[in-house]
Amino acid sequence: MPPMKRTRHFASDNYSGMCPEAWAAMAEANAGHEVSYGNDVWTQRAADMIREIFETNCEVFFVFNGTSANSLSLASLCQSYHSILCHELAHIETSECGAPEFFSNGSKILLLPGENGKVSAAEVEHAVKRRSDIHYPKPGALSLTQVTEVGTAYTAAELQALTSTAKSLGLRVQMDGARFANAVASLNVSPADITWRAGVDVLCFGGSKNGIALGEAVVFFNHDLAHEFDYRCKQGGQLASKMRFLSAPWLGMLKDGAWLRHARHTNAMAQRLEAGLKTMSGVKISYPVQSNAVFAKMPPAAEAKLHERGWHFYTGVITPEESRLMCSWDTTAEDVDSFIADLKQILG
Ligand SMILES: *Cc1c(COP(=O)(O)O)cnc(C)c1O
């Protein structure tokens, strides 16, 4: 069979384009002149909307991507002699080219094991208490990914337990929320319940994987930690001169709940994919499906044939034999069904 031209894939949720709500807000922000460097009405309104959604007076900064959101927020939580605890699969460890260490002037990342991509309170405590001497990089922060790198979601109760342990040990808590919308949709909770009410000091609120073109919001619930963060952003090359184009799409996403509508849809598409894969012997789901990701082990020959038929997806993101299938805001039920039909045919 010749390769088919497909417009949508399961390779990554950042393969997708901009959702209509973000696109419309961008177009609206493009009408005429506007003040630069974030002193514009769009940025003001988007930050106000984030404060409304989180039901608190947080401080909000818009940056270009997740690596800078994570790195700069962690740098503001740590001194250079501190360490940052995170899961061994964390994006800040595996996929940011050392940026968190670079921007914090050397804070060392310490890795914790944990099932289903999650860190446990016992492992946090162990990492902090195993040494107390001056030769060990003093643990200063805990970084949690919500949803995790394997697509699982920490519940509000799990977060509470983790952050109370962290706080009792003197750690600050940062959350990498590249897929925060998927977590809110999956857990069916208020954004406040899995952030500041659960002890999170700063959230990197992901936009691009949720349906905007680019950009993440750094949301400080702890105001002291936001001190001079604007300078850190500027020095780190993250102060957009035409800031309204980073912030306006957020307004489009947040004002009528589009962000959650899209996240619920992507999660539902992952459920549909999982249900289809489960009907096939020879395919094994690797982790609980709690967001827009499905990790599965399939026969390598079948994967090769799927690629021949034009499907893009990655194998070996987490372990060498697992494939990762990501749903996006624009993934359709037909996309899922035709992928499943192809795999069924291939497996005979
Ligand atoms: C995609 C992603 C990010 C952001 O990555 P950038 O490419 O820097 O925007 C951060 N954390 C996680 C868990 C991600 O999946």
Side-chain angles (χ1 to χ4, degrees), residues 76-99:
S76 64
L77 266 57
C78 287
Q79 296 293 331
S80 59
Y81 51 83
H82 280 147
S83 51
I84 299 161
L85 311 187
C86 67
H87 192 274
E88 59 196 0
L89 296 175
H91 196 272
I92 59 167
E93 158 70 8
T94 65
S95 309
E96 300 192 354
C97 198

Side-chain angles (χ1 to χ4, degrees), residues 14 65-67 70 91 96 145 149 176 178-179 208-209 216:
N14 59 19
N65 60 26
T67 298
N70 280 332
H91 196 272
E96 300 192 354
T145 311
E149 283 72 11
D176 174 352
R179 299 187 181 90
S208 57
K209 286 171 182 152
E216 321 275 296

Side-chain angles (χ1 to χ4, degrees), residues 2 25 38 74 79 114 116 118 133 147 189 228 267 294 327:
L74 286 166
Q79 296 293 331
N116 292 329
K118 292 184 184 177
D133 59 276
V147 298
V189 289
E228 298 183 345
N267 290 355
V294 182
C327 298

Side-chain angles (χ1 to χ4, degrees), residues 10 24 48 50 60 120 123 129 141-142 202 229 262 267 306 318:
F10 295 102
D48 285 344
I50 288 176
V60 181
S120 72
E123 289 294 346
K129 288 192 171 165
L142 171 65
V202 55
F229 192 71
H262 290 307
N267 290 355
L306 283 167
I318 302 293

Side-chain angles (χ1 to χ4, degrees), residues 28-230:
E28 221 183 303
N30 195 37
H33 285 203
E34 187 49 83
V35 191
S36 54
Y37 295 111
N39 298 312
D40 61 279
V41 64
W42 301 97
T43 303
Q44 188 58 49
R45 277 195 221 148
D48 285 344
M49 187 64 77
I50 288 176
R51 285 186 271 272
E52 203 174 295
I53 279 169
F54 284 90
E55 307 170 66
T56 189
N57 182 29
C58 43
E59 292 199 41
V60 181
F61 302 84
F62 297 96
V63 299
F64 288 103
N65 60 26
T67 298
S68 54
N70 280 332
S71 302
L72 297 173
S73 63
L74 286 166
S76 64
L77 266 57
C78 287
Q79 296 293 331
S80 59
Y81 51 83
H82 280 147
S83 51
I84 299 161
L85 311 187
C86 67
H87 192 274
E88 59 196 0
L89 296 175
H91 196 272
I92 59 167
E93 158 70 8
T94 65
S95 309
E96 300 192 354
C97 198
E101 293 93 329
F102 176 77
F103 282 103
S104 59
N105 293 308
S107 301
K108 185 172 165 63
I109 290 184
L110 297 180
L111 304 179
L112 310 180
E115 251 186 87
N116 292 329
K118 292 184 184 177
V119 160
S120 72
E123 289 294 346
V124 171
E125 191 165 350
H126 175 69
V128 176
K129 288 192 171 165
R130 79 180 156 184
R131 289 273 295 273
S132 58
D133 59 276
I134 199 155
H135 307 283
Y136 188 58
K138 185 175 165 54
L142 171 65
S143 176
L144 300 169
T145 311
Q146 179 76 313
V147 298
T148 69
E149 283 72 11
V150 300
T152 52
Y154 287 100
T155 63
E158 286 174 326
L159 292 170
Q160 283 281 4
L162 277 165
T163 63
S164 70
T165 299
K167 297 271 150 108
S168 74
L169 298 166
L171 308 180
R172 284 149 171 177
V173 181
Q174 183 256 13
M175 180 175 273
D176 174 352
R179 299 187 181 90
F180 183 74
N182 299 92
V184 174
S186 169
L187 297 163
N188 200 21
V189 289
S190 77
D193 284 344
I194 53 168
T195 54
W196 63 273
R197 280 197 202 114
V200 173
D201 292 309
V202 55
L203 167 72
C204 297
F205 187 4
S208 57
K209 286 171 182 152
N210 189 212
I212 71 177
L214 78 163
E216 321 275 296
V218 182
V219 182
F220 284 92
F221 303 109
N222 179 332
H223 288 254
D224 295 341
L225 297 175
H227 180 62
E228 298 183 345
F229 192 71
D230 45 352

